[in-house]
Amino acid sequence: MRRYFVFATCTLTLVLASVASTSVAVALQEMDKSFDASLVLASWIISAYQLVGVGILPLAGKAGDVLGRKPVFMLSMGLFTAGSLFSAVSPNIGFLILSRIVQGAGAGGLMPAAVGVVADEFPKADGAGRAQGRHFKRLPGGKRSRVEACHLVELGGQVHFKEHVEAV
């Protein structure tokens, strides 16, 4: 029972991080008006989150391997939560962008840490692949995506890109 709770927690945190990455786009024009900022400066609210999140991914993966996946998951969740709180109470555009950087760092660390935590909870004999498949299927776009999986295949010394496409 514990592992299903861990599975649900990891999945919900990834959904939350995915929603946080794009939900700001809806209110971007209103934010630039309320903070009296240019649209270019306001666009850094989204860009900062995305850039930092992508940059942290490999670092968090390595940190999870070295320090343990659970501590990295907890630290990432703490950063994401703190960034969310600071974003909610931001008095100006600069503080909001800084808060989104903290939030993006947490979100970027959540992806590899959550995958590792789920893999630790579901050993291979107990269907780790099935659990991880369900885990990623819950992400926004995961179930509806036309390209279900992509990987490289080596055929006769040449590397080919192969994709599996599900019927729409």
Side-chain angles (χ1 to χ4, degrees), residues 84-135:
S84 299
L85 176 68
F86 293 141
S87 293
V89 297
S90 294
N92 58 41
I93 191 89
F95 192 77
L96 178 57
I97 292 170
L98 184 64
S99 299
R100 291 284 289 175
I101 288 171
V102 172
Q103 189 182 27
L110 283 174
M111 180 64 81
V115 172
V117 168
V118 168
D120 288 346
E121 287 295 318
F122 289 87
K124 290 199 187 297
D126 291 342
R130 242 188 340 237
Q132 287 179 352
R134 289 184 183 134
H135 182 61

mmCIF file of all heavy atoms in Angstrom, residues 84-135:
data_model
loop_
_atom_site.group_PDB
_atom_site.id
_atom_site.type_symbol
_atom_site.label_atom_id
_atom_site.label_comp_id
_atom_site.label_asym_id
_atom_site.label_seq_id
_atom_site.Cartn_x
_atom_site.Cartn_y
_atom_site.Cartn_z
ATOM 1 N N SER A 84 6.799 28.705 -5.367
ATOM 2 C CA SER A 84 5.373 28.954 -5.589
ATOM 3 C C SER A 84 4.836 29.971 -4.600
ATOM 4 O O SER A 84 4.083 30.883 -4.970
ATOM 5 C CB SER A 84 4.582 27.647 -5.454
ATOM 6 O OG SER A 84 4.990 26.709 -6.405
ATOM 7 N N LEU A 85 5.230 29.826 -3.338
ATOM 8 C CA LEU A 85 4.784 30.765 -2.314
ATOM 9 C C LEU A 85 5.301 32.172 -2.591
ATOM 10 O O LEU A 85 4.536 33.149 -2.547
ATOM 11 C CB LEU A 85 5.256 30.297 -0.934
ATOM 12 C CG LEU A 85 4.939 31.226 0.229
ATOM 13 C CD1 LEU A 85 3.438 31.269 0.476
ATOM 14 C CD2 LEU A 85 5.661 30.771 1.481
ATOM 15 N N PHE A 86 6.587 32.274 -2.908
ATOM 16 C CA PHE A 86 7.169 33.592 -3.198
ATOM 17 C C PHE A 86 6.571 34.199 -4.467
ATOM 18 O O PHE A 86 6.417 35.413 -4.558
ATOM 19 C CB PHE A 86 8.686 33.510 -3.309
ATOM 20 C CG PHE A 86 9.372 33.183 -2.009
ATOM 21 C CD1 PHE A 86 10.463 32.345 -1.984
ATOM 22 C CD2 PHE A 86 8.914 33.699 -0.809
ATOM 23 C CE1 PHE A 86 11.103 32.036 -0.796
ATOM 24 C CE2 PHE A 86 9.532 33.401 0.393
ATOM 25 C CZ PHE A 86 10.632 32.569 0.406
ATOM 26 N N SER A 87 6.236 33.366 -5.434
ATOM 27 C CA SER A 87 5.587 33.871 -6.652
ATOM 28 C C SER A 87 4.220 34.461 -6.329
ATOM 29 O O SER A 87 3.829 35.475 -6.899
ATOM 30 C CB SER A 87 5.416 32.749 -7.679
ATOM 31 O OG SER A 87 6.655 32.316 -8.163
ATOM 32 N N ALA A 88 3.513 33.825 -5.415
ATOM 33 C CA ALA A 88 2.171 34.290 -5.065
ATOM 34 C C ALA A 88 2.186 35.640 -4.356
ATOM 35 O O ALA A 88 1.222 36.401 -4.470
ATOM 36 C CB ALA A 88 1.481 33.250 -4.188
ATOM 37 N N VAL A 89 3.254 35.945 -3.632
ATOM 38 C CA VAL A 89 3.304 37.192 -2.860
ATOM 39 C C VAL A 89 4.284 38.206 -3.439
ATOM 40 O O VAL A 89 4.687 39.134 -2.759
ATOM 41 C CB VAL A 89 3.645 36.911 -1.372
ATOM 42 C CG1 VAL A 89 2.572 36.067 -0.736
ATOM 43 C CG2 VAL A 89 5.010 36.263 -1.232
ATOM 44 N N SER A 90 4.659 38.036 -4.688
ATOM 45 C CA SER A 90 5.646 38.917 -5.310
ATOM 46 C C SER A 90 5.150 40.357 -5.387
ATOM 47 O O SER A 90 4.087 40.611 -5.952
ATOM 48 C CB SER A 90 5.975 38.440 -6.716
ATOM 49 O OG SER A 90 6.620 37.203 -6.661
ATOM 50 N N PRO A 91 5.937 41.298 -4.866
ATOM 51 C CA PRO A 91 5.528 42.698 -4.916
ATOM 52 C C PRO A 91 5.879 43.382 -6.243
ATOM 53 O O PRO A 91 5.306 44.415 -6.578
ATOM 54 C CB PRO A 91 6.317 43.341 -3.775
ATOM 55 C CG PRO A 91 7.543 42.506 -3.656
ATOM 56 C CD PRO A 91 7.127 41.113 -4.040
ATOM 57 N N ASN A 92 6.832 42.806 -7.002
ATOM 58 C CA ASN A 92 7.235 43.425 -8.266
ATOM 59 C C ASN A 92 7.688 42.350 -9.246
ATOM 60 O O ASN A 92 7.821 41.177 -8.891
ATOM 61 C CB ASN A 92 8.332 44.472 -8.051
ATOM 62 C CG ASN A 92 9.554 43.897 -7.382
ATOM 63 O OD1 ASN A 92 9.992 42.798 -7.695
ATOM 64 N ND2 ASN A 92 10.114 44.646 -6.433
ATOM 65 N N ILE A 93 7.931 42.761 -10.468
ATOM 66 C CA ILE A 93 8.273 41.813 -11.537
ATOM 67 C C ILE A 93 9.613 41.131 -11.311
ATOM 68 O O ILE A 93 9.776 39.946 -11.589
ATOM 69 C CB ILE A 93 8.207 42.492 -12.927
ATOM 70 C CG1 ILE A 93 8.298 41.474 -14.065
ATOM 71 C CG2 ILE A 93 9.294 43.516 -13.093
ATOM 72 C CD1 ILE A 93 6.998 40.940 -14.484
ATOM 73 N N GLY A 94 10.590 41.858 -10.769
ATOM 74 C CA GLY A 94 11.902 41.269 -10.516
ATOM 75 C C GLY A 94 11.835 40.151 -9.494
ATOM 76 O O GLY A 94 12.442 39.091 -9.666
ATOM 77 N N PHE A 95 11.085 40.369 -8.424
ATOM 78 C CA PHE A 95 10.937 39.340 -7.395
ATOM 79 C C PHE A 95 10.160 38.143 -7.938
ATOM 80 O O PHE A 95 10.451 37.004 -7.591
ATOM 81 C CB PHE A 95 10.241 39.924 -6.157
ATOM 82 C CG PHE A 95 10.292 39.030 -4.960
ATOM 83 C CD1 PHE A 95 11.454 38.921 -4.207
ATOM 84 C CD2 PHE A 95 9.189 38.293 -4.577
ATOM 85 C CE1 PHE A 95 11.511 38.090 -3.108
ATOM 86 C CE2 PHE A 95 9.238 37.456 -3.484
ATOM 87 C CZ PHE A 95 10.400 37.361 -2.737
ATOM 88 N N LEU A 96 9.185 38.409 -8.800
ATOM 89 C CA LEU A 96 8.417 37.319 -9.412
ATOM 90 C C LEU A 96 9.314 36.458 -10.304
ATOM 91 O O LEU A 96 9.248 35.232 -10.253
ATOM 92 C CB LEU A 96 7.242 37.869 -10.211
ATOM 93 C CG LEU A 96 6.372 36.845 -10.939
ATOM 94 C CD1 LEU A 96 5.801 35.822 -9.971
ATOM 95 C CD2 LEU A 96 5.263 37.543 -11.700
ATOM 96 N N ILE A 97 10.159 37.086 -11.087
ATOM 97 C CA ILE A 97 11.076 36.326 -11.950
ATOM 98 C C ILE A 97 12.045 35.514 -11.097
ATOM 99 O O ILE A 97 12.294 34.332 -11.375
ATOM 100 C CB ILE A 97 11.816 37.265 -12.927
ATOM 101 C CG1 ILE A 97 10.824 37.844 -13.945
ATOM 102 C CG2 ILE A 97 12.947 36.535 -13.646
ATOM 103 C CD1 ILE A 97 11.378 38.952 -14.804
ATOM 104 N N LEU A 98 12.567 36.106 -10.035
ATOM 105 C CA LEU A 98 13.454 35.381 -9.129
ATOM 106 C C LEU A 98 12.725 34.205 -8.469
ATOM 107 O O LEU A 98 13.283 33.105 -8.346
ATOM 108 C CB LEU A 98 14.012 36.335 -8.067
ATOM 109 C CG LEU A 98 15.021 35.743 -7.096
ATOM 110 C CD1 LEU A 98 16.283 35.317 -7.840
ATOM 111 C CD2 LEU A 98 15.356 36.756 -6.019
ATOM 112 N N SER A 99 11.489 34.421 -8.084
ATOM 113 C CA SER A 99 10.691 33.343 -7.480
ATOM 114 C C SER A 99 10.442 32.221 -8.477
ATOM 115 O O SER A 99 10.474 31.036 -8.115
ATOM 116 C CB SER A 99 9.347 33.895 -6.998
ATOM 117 O OG SER A 99 9.535 34.877 -6.031
ATOM 118 N N ARG A 100 10.212 32.596 -9.729
ATOM 119 C CA ARG A 100 10.008 31.568 -10.763
ATOM 120 C C ARG A 100 11.293 30.793 -11.047
ATOM 121 O O ARG A 100 11.254 29.620 -11.404
ATOM 122 C CB ARG A 100 9.477 32.210 -12.049
ATOM 123 C CG ARG A 100 8.057 32.737 -11.939
ATOM 124 C CD ARG A 100 7.043 31.654 -11.972
ATOM 125 N NE ARG A 100 6.971 31.102 -13.325
ATOM 126 C CZ ARG A 100 6.229 30.069 -13.667
ATOM 127 N NH1 ARG A 100 5.493 29.461 -12.789
ATOM 128 N NH2 ARG A 100 6.236 29.633 -14.905
ATOM 129 N N ILE A 101 12.437 31.422 -10.868
ATOM 130 C CA ILE A 101 13.714 30.711 -11.004
ATOM 131 C C ILE A 101 13.822 29.648 -9.924
ATOM 132 O O ILE A 101 14.199 28.493 -10.186
ATOM 133 C CB ILE A 101 14.897 31.702 -10.964
ATOM 134 C CG1 ILE A 101 14.945 32.511 -12.263
ATOM 135 C CG2 ILE A 101 16.219 30.988 -10.723
ATOM 136 C CD1 ILE A 101 15.928 33.660 -12.257
ATOM 137 N N VAL A 102 13.481 30.004 -8.692
ATOM 138 C CA VAL A 102 13.510 29.034 -7.583
ATOM 139 C C VAL A 102 12.501 27.926 -7.851
ATOM 140 O O VAL A 102 12.803 26.731 -7.671
ATOM 141 C CB VAL A 102 13.223 29.744 -6.238
ATOM 142 C CG1 VAL A 102 13.053 28.737 -5.119
ATOM 143 C CG2 VAL A 102 14.326 30.730 -5.907
ATOM 144 N N GLN A 103 11.314 28.299 -8.292
ATOM 145 C CA GLN A 103 10.282 27.311 -8.597
ATOM 146 C C GLN A 103 10.719 26.384 -9.733
ATOM 147 O O GLN A 103 10.516 25.172 -9.676
ATOM 148 C CB GLN A 103 8.984 28.033 -8.963
ATOM 149 C CG GLN A 103 7.789 27.139 -9.081
ATOM 150 C CD GLN A 103 6.546 27.903 -9.492
ATOM 151 O OE1 GLN A 103 6.628 28.939 -10.154
ATOM 152 N NE2 GLN A 103 5.392 27.399 -9.107
ATOM 153 N N GLY A 104 11.344 26.940 -10.751
ATOM 154 C CA GLY A 104 11.831 26.137 -11.875
ATOM 155 C C GLY A 104 12.942 25.188 -11.461
ATOM 156 O O GLY A 104 13.019 24.064 -11.956
ATOM 157 N N ALA A 105 13.810 25.623 -10.551
ATOM 158 C CA ALA A 105 14.865 24.735 -10.050
ATOM 159 C C ALA A 105 14.255 23.548 -9.331
ATOM 160 O O ALA A 105 14.698 22.401 -9.496
ATOM 161 C CB ALA A 105 15.802 25.504 -9.127
ATOM 162 N N GLY A 106 13.232 23.802 -8.549
ATOM 163 C CA GLY A 106 12.553 22.699 -7.863
ATOM 164 C C GLY A 106 11.857 21.772 -8.840
ATOM 165 O O GLY A 106 11.944 20.549 -8.728
ATOM 166 N N ALA A 107 11.175 22.344 -9.818
ATOM 167 C CA ALA A 107 10.461 21.526 -10.808
ATOM 168 C C ALA A 107 11.433 20.696 -11.638
ATOM 169 O O ALA A 107 11.164 19.533 -11.947
ATOM 170 C CB ALA A 107 9.628 22.419 -11.713
ATOM 171 N N GLY A 108 12.566 21.281 -12.000
ATOM 172 C CA GLY A 108 13.565 20.543 -12.769
ATOM 173 C C GLY A 108 14.149 19.380 -11.985
ATOM 174 O O GLY A 108 14.480 18.337 -12.552
ATOM 175 N N GLY A 109 14.264 19.516 -10.695
ATOM 176 C CA GLY A 109 14.757 18.426 -9.856
ATOM 177 C C GLY A 109 13.720 17.356 -9.597
ATOM 178 O O GLY A 109 14.055 16.207 -9.303
ATOM 179 N N LEU A 110 12.446 17.718 -9.710
ATOM 180 C CA LEU A 110 11.385 16.742 -9.434
ATOM 181 C C LEU A 110 11.333 15.613 -10.461
ATOM 182 O O LEU A 110 11.072 14.464 -10.096
ATOM 183 C CB LEU A 110 10.026 17.441 -9.381
ATOM 184 C CG LEU A 110 9.725 18.217 -8.113
ATOM 185 C CD1 LEU A 110 8.411 18.980 -8.263
ATOM 186 C CD2 LEU A 110 9.679 17.309 -6.912
ATOM 187 N N MET A 111 11.565 15.920 -11.718
ATOM 188 C CA MET A 111 11.417 14.900 -12.764
ATOM 189 C C MET A 111 12.342 13.697 -12.555
ATOM 190 O O MET A 111 11.863 12.575 -12.420
ATOM 191 C CB MET A 111 11.615 15.511 -14.145
ATOM 192 C CG MET A 111 11.491 14.522 -15.278
ATOM 193 S SD MET A 111 9.867 13.788 -15.445
ATOM 194 C CE MET A 111 9.033 15.060 -16.319
ATOM 195 N N PRO A 112 13.663 13.878 -12.511
ATOM 196 C CA PRO A 112 14.509 12.693 -12.336
ATOM 197 C C PRO A 112 14.354 12.066 -10.955
ATOM 198 O O PRO A 112 14.427 10.839 -10.817
ATOM 199 C CB PRO A 112 15.931 13.218 -12.546
ATOM 200 C CG PRO A 112 15.854 14.675 -12.336
ATOM 201 C CD PRO A 112 14.460 15.086 -12.688
ATOM 202 N N ALA A 113 14.108 12.883 -9.939
ATOM 203 C CA ALA A 113 13.962 12.338 -8.592
ATOM 204 C C ALA A 113 12.687 11.505 -8.474
ATOM 205 O O ALA A 113 12.697 10.414 -7.884
ATOM 206 C CB ALA A 113 13.960 13.465 -7.565
ATOM 207 N N ALA A 114 11.588 11.987 -9.042
ATOM 208 C CA ALA A 114 10.327 11.248 -8.967
ATOM 209 C C ALA A 114 10.412 9.925 -9.716
ATOM 210 O O ALA A 114 9.916 8.898 -9.233
ATOM 211 C CB ALA A 114 9.192 12.100 -9.516
ATOM 212 N N VAL A 115 11.041 9.942 -10.867
ATOM 213 C CA VAL A 115 11.215 8.698 -11.630
ATOM 214 C C VAL A 115 12.044 7.699 -10.827
ATOM 215 O O VAL A 115 11.724 6.514 -10.757
ATOM 216 C CB VAL A 115 11.864 8.980 -13.000
ATOM 217 C CG1 VAL A 115 12.231 7.691 -13.704
ATOM 218 C CG2 VAL A 115 10.936 9.800 -13.859
ATOM 219 N N GLY A 116 13.102 8.187 -10.184
ATOM 220 C CA GLY A 116 13.944 7.314 -9.373
ATOM 221 C C GLY A 116 13.228 6.764 -8.155
ATOM 222 O O GLY A 116 13.381 5.590 -7.808
ATOM 223 N N VAL A 117 12.427 7.590 -7.508
ATOM 224 C CA VAL A 117 11.677 7.144 -6.331
ATOM 225 C C VAL A 117 10.670 6.066 -6.724
ATOM 226 O O VAL A 117 10.533 5.046 -6.041
ATOM 227 C CB VAL A 117 10.985 8.338 -5.637
ATOM 228 C CG1 VAL A 117 9.976 7.877 -4.607
ATOM 229 C CG2 VAL A 117 12.013 9.249 -4.982
ATOM 230 N N VAL A 118 9.976 6.264 -7.843
ATOM 231 C CA VAL A 118 9.025 5.257 -8.315
ATOM 232 C C VAL A 118 9.754 3.963 -8.671
ATOM 233 O O VAL A 118 9.304 2.866 -8.343
ATOM 234 C CB VAL A 118 8.204 5.789 -9.512
ATOM 235 C CG1 VAL A 118 7.420 4.679 -10.195
ATOM 236 C CG2 VAL A 118 7.268 6.887 -9.049
ATOM 237 N N ALA A 119 10.910 4.065 -9.309
ATOM 238 C CA ALA A 119 11.691 2.875 -9.667
ATOM 239 C C ALA A 119 12.160 2.134 -8.413
ATOM 240 O O ALA A 119 12.187 0.900 -8.395
ATOM 241 C CB ALA A 119 12.888 3.262 -10.524
ATOM 242 N N ASP A 120 12.520 2.868 -7.370
ATOM 243 C CA ASP A 120 12.939 2.234 -6.115
ATOM 244 C C ASP A 120 11.779 1.514 -5.432
ATOM 245 O O ASP A 120 11.972 0.480 -4.801
ATOM 246 C CB ASP A 120 13.528 3.268 -5.150
ATOM 247 C CG ASP A 120 14.890 3.767 -5.582
ATOM 248 O OD1 ASP A 120 15.505 3.137 -6.474
ATOM 249 O OD2 ASP A 120 15.336 4.792 -5.031
ATOM 250 N N GLU A 121 10.589 2.055 -5.549
ATOM 251 C CA GLU A 121 9.415 1.468 -4.893
ATOM 252 C C GLU A 121 8.875 0.245 -5.625
ATOM 253 O O GLU A 121 8.241 -0.597 -5.014
ATOM 254 C CB GLU A 121 8.303 2.513 -4.755
ATOM 255 C CG GLU A 121 8.580 3.552 -3.712
ATOM 256 C CD GLU A 121 8.647 2.982 -2.301
ATOM 257 O OE1 GLU A 121 7.820 2.125 -1.935
ATOM 258 O OE2 GLU A 121 9.557 3.405 -1.566
ATOM 259 N N PHE A 122 9.083 0.181 -6.928
ATOM 260 C CA PHE A 122 8.593 -0.931 -7.724
ATOM 261 C C PHE A 122 9.783 -1.675 -8.327
ATOM 262 O O PHE A 122 10.240 -1.325 -9.414
ATOM 263 C CB PHE A 122 7.679 -0.439 -8.857
ATOM 264 C CG PHE A 122 6.355 0.068 -8.385
ATOM 265 C CD1 PHE A 122 6.195 1.384 -7.994
ATOM 266 C CD2 PHE A 122 5.269 -0.787 -8.329
ATOM 267 C CE1 PHE A 122 4.983 1.852 -7.553
ATOM 268 C CE2 PHE A 122 4.041 -0.327 -7.893
ATOM 269 C CZ PHE A 122 3.892 0.997 -7.494
ATOM 270 N N PRO A 123 10.289 -2.698 -7.626
ATOM 271 C CA PRO A 123 11.399 -3.474 -8.200
ATOM 272 C C PRO A 123 10.987 -4.103 -9.535
ATOM 273 O O PRO A 123 9.803 -4.257 -9.820
ATOM 274 C CB PRO A 123 11.657 -4.557 -7.148
ATOM 275 C CG PRO A 123 10.987 -4.084 -5.913
ATOM 276 C CD PRO A 123 9.881 -3.176 -6.333
ATOM 277 N N LYS A 124 11.986 -4.460 -10.322
ATOM 278 C CA LYS A 124 11.712 -5.006 -11.663
ATOM 279 C C LYS A 124 10.762 -6.194 -11.628
ATOM 280 O O LYS A 124 9.906 -6.338 -12.484
ATOM 281 C CB LYS A 124 13.018 -5.388 -12.345
ATOM 282 C CG LYS A 124 13.850 -4.186 -12.727
ATOM 283 C CD LYS A 124 14.862 -4.568 -13.769
ATOM 284 C CE LYS A 124 15.817 -3.457 -14.055
ATOM 285 N NZ LYS A 124 15.249 -2.268 -14.595
ATOM 286 N N ALA A 125 10.896 -7.053 -10.632
ATOM 287 C CA ALA A 125 10.032 -8.225 -10.529
ATOM 288 C C ALA A 125 8.576 -7.834 -10.273
ATOM 289 O O ALA A 125 7.665 -8.566 -10.615
ATOM 290 C CB ALA A 125 10.518 -9.145 -9.411
ATOM 291 N N ASP A 126 8.365 -6.664 -9.694
ATOM 292 C CA ASP A 126 7.006 -6.225 -9.368
ATOM 293 C C ASP A 126 6.423 -5.277 -10.399
ATOM 294 O O ASP A 126 5.464 -4.564 -10.127
ATOM 295 C CB ASP A 126 6.989 -5.545 -7.995
ATOM 296 C CG ASP A 126 7.234 -6.522 -6.859
ATOM 297 O OD1 ASP A 126 7.070 -7.737 -7.084
ATOM 298 O OD2 ASP A 126 7.590 -6.059 -5.765
ATOM 299 N N GLY A 127 6.999 -5.206 -11.571
ATOM 300 C CA GLY A 127 6.441 -4.402 -12.648
ATOM 301 C C GLY A 127 6.856 -2.950 -12.634
ATOM 302 O O GLY A 127 6.015 -2.067 -12.736
ATOM 303 N N ALA A 128 8.141 -2.693 -12.508
ATOM 304 C CA ALA A 128 8.630 -1.308 -12.497
ATOM 305 C C ALA A 128 8.309 -0.602 -13.807
ATOM 306 O O ALA A 128 7.938 0.562 -13.816
ATOM 307 C CB ALA A 128 10.135 -1.281 -12.244
ATOM 308 N N GLY A 129 8.441 -1.309 -14.912
ATOM 309 C CA GLY A 129 8.162 -0.703 -16.214
ATOM 310 C C GLY A 129 6.711 -0.288 -16.344
ATOM 311 O O GLY A 129 6.401 0.782 -16.857
ATOM 312 N N ARG A 130 5.817 -1.135 -15.860
ATOM 313 C CA ARG A 130 4.394 -0.809 -15.890
ATOM 314 C C ARG A 130 4.096 0.410 -15.020
ATOM 315 O O ARG A 130 3.349 1.304 -15.398
ATOM 316 C CB ARG A 130 3.578 -2.000 -15.389
ATOM 317 C CG ARG A 130 2.655 -2.563 -16.390
ATOM 318 C CD ARG A 130 1.737 -3.606 -15.792
ATOM 319 N NE ARG A 130 2.234 -4.156 -14.550
ATOM 320 C CZ ARG A 130 2.459 -5.443 -14.331
ATOM 321 N NH1 ARG A 130 2.238 -6.305 -15.262
ATOM 322 N NH2 ARG A 130 2.888 -5.868 -13.179
ATOM 323 N N ALA A 131 4.706 0.447 -13.840
ATOM 324 C CA ALA A 131 4.480 1.574 -12.927
ATOM 325 C C ALA A 131 4.995 2.876 -13.531
ATOM 326 O O ALA A 131 4.332 3.913 -13.462
ATOM 327 C CB ALA A 131 5.158 1.316 -11.585
ATOM 328 N N GLN A 132 6.179 2.838 -14.130
ATOM 329 C CA GLN A 132 6.723 4.050 -14.730
ATOM 330 C C GLN A 132 5.912 4.467 -15.952
ATOM 331 O O GLN A 132 5.727 5.654 -16.200
ATOM 332 C CB GLN A 132 8.189 3.863 -15.078
ATOM 333 C CG GLN A 132 9.064 3.864 -13.858
ATOM 334 C CD GLN A 132 10.528 3.646 -14.192
ATOM 335 O OE1 GLN A 132 10.878 3.352 -15.322
ATOM 336 N NE2 GLN A 132 11.366 3.794 -13.186
ATOM 337 N N GLY A 133 5.408 3.518 -16.698
ATOM 338 C CA GLY A 133 4.549 3.842 -17.833
ATOM 339 C C GLY A 133 3.278 4.538 -17.388
ATOM 340 O O GLY A 133 2.858 5.531 -17.973
ATOM 341 N N ARG A 134 2.684 4.044 -16.327
ATOM 342 C CA ARG A 134 1.486 4.691 -15.783
ATOM 343 C C ARG A 134 1.826 6.060 -15.212
ATOM 344 O O ARG A 134 1.034 6.985 -15.271
ATOM 345 C CB ARG A 134 0.867 3.813 -14.714
ATOM 346 C CG ARG A 134 0.218 2.589 -15.283
ATOM 347 C CD ARG A 134 -0.472 1.775 -14.225
ATOM 348 N NE ARG A 134 -1.025 0.581 -14.823
ATOM 349 C CZ ARG A 134 -0.900 -0.622 -14.317
ATOM 350 N NH1 ARG A 134 -0.237 -0.807 -13.192
ATOM 351 N NH2 ARG A 134 -1.432 -1.652 -14.918
ATOM 352 N N HIS A 135 3.001 6.133 -14.630
ATOM 353 C CA HIS A 135 3.481 7.385 -14.027
ATOM 354 C C HIS A 135 3.552 8.479 -15.083
ATOM 355 O O HIS A 135 3.031 9.571 -14.891
ATOM 356 C CB HIS A 135 4.857 7.104 -13.413
ATOM 357 C CG HIS A 135 5.507 8.232 -12.712
ATOM 358 N ND1 HIS A 135 4.953 8.843 -11.621
ATOM 359 C CD2 HIS A 135 6.675 8.857 -12.937
ATOM 360 C CE1 HIS A 135 5.763 9.781 -11.195
ATOM 361 N NE2 HIS A 135 6.815 9.821 -11.984
#
